[in-house]
Amino acid sequence: MSLPRLGFIGLAVIAALATWLLLAGPARVFGIEAGNAGMVLLMAVGWGSLHAISRIPDGGIGESMSPGEWRAWLGLAFTLVIAAYAIVHAPVFHGPPLWHNPDANRIGRNIVMLLVAWMLLARVLDARWRRGVRQDERDREIEARGAGAARLALVVILVGYALLLSFSTERLEWAVPPLLGHLLVLALIVSCAFEYLVVGLGYWRDRR
């Protein structure tokens, strides 16, 4: 088995461990909060993936997948993990305001840090590939379809929230402001995941 393939397998194993720590791991690992450890590992996987892709001949550009496709699949993986983390820990937001809820503060801080980590990684990817490849009409068309899918997904989710609130007039105890705010952030994350999925599939179909 080649060294690059072993490297990608190692990154996949670390990513699986990071996801487990974030979603279902113990409270603490070696005295470190499991969520923080999983977050650091997931960031390391992102930067490790960037390094591994950069070592592929021609930077992975034009040989197997285009820059846009690399970015889409990496973005989909990141956003799905962040969305799953937000869903699993949503119950902690059903409580007092954030300044009186340390658990919700911790989860919210982790979500923000994961989003910032992906934004930084995406900017590095864009800056690196922009130097070697220019977008063509195909790239713009695929990205436009992805943006349209994200808008549609966001509208559907928000309409779903509105209907849920409309038909829950007798049981609105669950709809506390911190939880509603968390659900809105989750809607944005899920819409981004749809965008990356549509863009990735668009590039994949184009390659096929």
Side-chain angles (χ1 to χ4, degrees), residues 27 33-36 85 89 92-93 101-112:
E33 186 180 319
N36 291 338
Y85 182 72
H89 294 93
V92 303
F93 291 88
N101 191 339
D103 290 334
N105 265 310
R106 174 176 53 83
I107 299 302
R109 183 174 61 251
N110 287 346
I111 291 174
V112 170

Side-chain angles (χ1 to χ4, degrees), residues 74-146:
L74 285 175
L76 179 63
F78 256 82
T79 50
L80 286 179
V81 171
I82 298 171
Y85 182 72
I87 292 171
V88 168
H89 294 93
V92 303
F93 291 88
H94 188 269
L98 296 181
W99 52 88
H100 295 307
N101 191 339
D103 290 334
N105 265 310
R106 174 176 53 83
I107 299 302
R109 183 174 61 251
N110 287 346
I111 291 174
V112 170
M113 291 184 67
L114 287 171
L115 290 172
V116 169
W118 166 242
M119 289 172 61
L120 291 175
L121 177 60
R123 287 184 66 86
V124 172
L125 287 169
D126 287 343
R128 180 184 180 278
W129 281 320
R130 195 174 290 125
R131 289 196 299 267
V133 174
R134 293 183 179 178
Q135 283 188 327
D136 56 20
E137 191 63 32
R138 180 200 63 164
D139 296 304
R140 287 188 285 271
E141 181 181 349
I142 291 175
E143 290 182 0
R145 289 202 299 267

Side-chain angles (χ1 to χ4, degrees), residues 15-208:
L17 176 60
T19 303
W20 175 71
L21 288 173
L22 283 169
L23 301 182
R28 304 187 76 83
V29 178
F30 300 116
I32 303 173
E33 186 180 319
N36 291 338
M39 185 172 55
V40 170
L41 286 177
L42 191 62
M43 293 179 187
V45 169
W47 290 105
S49 299
L50 173 61
H51 175 72
I53 293 170
S54 69
R55 299 299 297 272
I56 297 174
D58 195 24
I61 298 172
E63 295 293 330
S64 56
M65 292 193 293
S66 68
E69 188 173 357
W70 277 115
R71 186 180 186 278
W73 293 129
L74 285 175
L76 179 63
F78 256 82
T79 50
L80 286 179
V81 171
I82 298 171
Y85 182 72
I87 292 171
V88 168
H89 294 93
V92 303
F93 291 88
H94 188 269
L98 296 181
W99 52 88
H100 295 307
N101 191 339
D103 290 334
N105 265 310
R106 174 176 53 83
I107 299 302
R109 183 174 61 251
N110 287 346
I111 291 174
V112 170
M113 291 184 67
L114 287 171
L115 290 172
V116 169
W118 166 242
M119 289 172 61
L120 291 175
L121 177 60
R123 287 184 66 86
V124 172
L125 287 169
D126 287 343
R128 180 184 180 278
W129 281 320
R130 195 174 290 125
R131 289 196 299 267
V133 174
R134 293 183 179 178
Q135 283 188 327
D136 56 20
E137 191 63 32
R138 180 200 63 164
D139 296 304
R140 287 188 285 271
E141 181 181 349
I142 291 175
E143 290 182 0
R145 289 202 299 267
R151 288 193 297 270
L152 178 61
L154 184 59
V155 169
V156 170
I157 294 171
L158 293 181
V159 170
Y161 286 171
L163 292 175
L164 180 62
L165 291 171
S166 299
F167 288 103
S168 302
T169 54
E170 296 179 357
R171 297 190 300 272
L172 284 180
E173 294 83 3
W174 65 270
V176 295
L179 181 58
L180 291 177
H182 181 71
L183 291 177
L184 291 175
V185 172
L186 178 60
L188 292 173
I189 296 171
V190 172
S191 69
C192 289
F194 269 98
E195 179 177 1
Y196 289 129
L197 176 62
V198 170
V199 170
L201 289 175
Y203 279 112
W204 178 78
R205 285 196 299 266
D206 188 70
R207 283 194 297 113
R208 301 284 290 185

